[in-house]
Amino acid sequence: MTSDRFVKFKFAAKIASVAAGALVLAACSGPQGDQPSNAGGGTAPTPGGSGGSLRVAVVTHGSAGDAFWNVVKNGAEAAGRQLGAQVDYKSDGDPGAQAKLIDNAIAQKVDGLVVSMANPDALRTSIENAVKAGIPVVTINSGESKSAEFGAITHVGQSETIAGEGAGKRLKDAGKTKMLCVIHEAGNIGQNQRCDGAKSAFGNVTTLQVDINNPTDAQSRIKGAVQADPAVDAVLALNSQVAAGAVTAIKGAGSKAQVATFDLNTDVVNAIKSGDVLFAVDQQQYEQGYLPIVFLKLYKENANTVGGGRPVLTGPGFVDKSNVDTIAPFTEKGTR
């Protein structure tokens, strides 16, 4: 090879190497390779939080310290870190206060909004204002039936009625004949849907209202209810923390009723292993935090939507003695 040809060969090889490197970088960066269109009308976001060019406000109705909502938060923040998005998670169990948090997010001109709708009517105006401002909204967990009506691009969660039906069928198949369904948040339509679904599949169901923010009183009310009606042989809790109180209440009452519950935490996993809880309905709430961040990034950067007008279902799944050992390590990590 002549010297001139050798130089040309080396130059061509270098160009090819640079081009290949650029392709690898583009493939690794995925949607981040293009700058977001900022179609939501927001100002350019500033670094912070989980970091990144996309700012997403997550506003839920979770109570402070609620293990369920901590997992949702973990999912949203993990997605933010992985996708280079700034995620700001806030929550308030009071519907009026939750609406104000949404209003604040609109005023900050976020690029996307994720909202749980336990009380949809109280949030309607705020969510519709976000949509009018050009902010894409993904609803999660509760309020599925109102999601599209309010203008959200999709809903991520489980059908509470179907989940309730599944729980009711399982308890009926276990030979139970009378169920106490414990509602722990007044005005939460999803909890009523769970109990109604359980009733449609099970039959003989009564409901009990307690306050999740007063666990001692909740435990006392459950104990009193099973003592007053010895025919109750199944207690369906709608929250993992309530389930732990129900187990203690039933033992204290000397009742033979069995507990089943919605949602997981370490206590519920251990109770399933010991036989104190028959099963848990798992709506995989980590996905309810994680997936909306993915969907909003795709929507903002590639105009993608998911669901085809239907919700993206994260459940129901069921955890019992047959699969609890597989799930247990993930509850310890805070992802189930």
Side-chain angles (χ1 to χ4, degrees), residues 18-318:
V18 170
L23 286 173
V24 169
L25 286 173
C28 290
S29 64
Q32 296 181 65
D34 296 325
Q35 291 302 313
S37 64
N38 203 31
T43 56
T46 55
S50 352
S53 60
L54 180 75
R55 290 191 305 164
V56 179
V58 181
V59 182
T60 77
H61 66 276
S63 302
D66 189 316
F68 176 92
W69 289 104
N70 286 342
V71 175
V72 175
K73 180 182 180 184
N74 289 345
E77 292 181 343
R81 289 191 297 272
Q82 293 168 18
L83 297 175
Q86 178 182 336
V87 174
D88 182 20
Y89 179 96
K90 288 185 169 58
S91 65
D92 201 302
D94 177 77
Q98 189 186 3
K100 289 181 181 177
L101 290 175
I102 296 170
D103 295 339
N104 290 341
I106 297 170
Q108 293 166 10
K109 298 182 180 180
V110 296
D111 299 303
L113 183 63
V114 181
V115 183
S116 66
M117 300 197 299
N119 192 323
D121 290 339
L123 307 181
R124 174 192 283 270
T125 299
S126 295
I127 291 173
E128 289 180 344
N129 284 342
V131 174
K132 289 175 184 175
I135 300 173
V137 177
V138 175
T139 59
I140 63 170
N141 185 259
S142 303
E144 170 198 332
S145 63
K146 297 288 187 179
S147 178
E149 180 183 336
F150 290 1
I153 61 173
T154 196
H155 178 84
V156 181
Q158 72 178 1
S159 167
E160 303 293 17
T161 300
I162 292 173
E165 289 171 354
K169 183 179 185 304
R170 280 188 166 235
L171 286 168
K172 186 174 183 178
D173 290 346
K176 306 306 175 184
T177 58
K178 188 166 187 179
M179 181 198 306
L180 180 69
C181 191
V182 184
I183 296 173
H184 60 268
E185 288 176 350
N188 185 330
I189 62 169
Q191 293 186 19
N192 289 304
Q193 289 167 345
R194 290 176 179 181
C195 289
D196 290 344
K199 186 173 183 178
S200 69
F202 185 88
N204 191 5
V205 176
T206 58
T207 59
L208 175 68
Q209 180 72 58
V210 302
D211 182 0
I212 191 172
N213 295 310
N214 191 340
T216 302
D217 182 67
Q219 181 176 312
S220 176
R221 287 177 181 271
I222 295 169
K223 180 179 179 181
V226 295
Q227 284 179 326
D229 188 354
V232 171
D233 55 4
V235 174
L236 181 60
L238 306 183
N239 172 275
S240 53
Q241 290 169 264
V242 176
V247 168
T248 302
I250 286 170
K251 289 180 178 179
S255 169
K256 296 186 181 297
Q258 278 193 293
V259 175
T261 188
F262 279 71
D263 305 331
L264 285 174
N265 64 8
T266 302
D267 290 338
V268 169
V269 164
N270 291 335
I272 291 172
K273 289 180 178 181
S274 68
D276 288 330
V277 170
L278 191 59
F279 63 82
V281 184
D282 183 19
Q283 61 179 299
Q284 302 183 106
Q285 70 271 28
Y286 185 83
E287 293 182 335
Q288 294 177 19
Y290 190 98
L291 291 177
I293 310 304
V294 177
F295 295 161
L296 285 168
K297 187 171 181 68
L298 288 169
Y299 181 80
K300 295 288 291 186
E301 297 185 357
N302 208 45
N304 290 124
T305 58
V306 293
R310 295 180 179 271
V312 176
L313 299 181
T314 63
F318 292 90

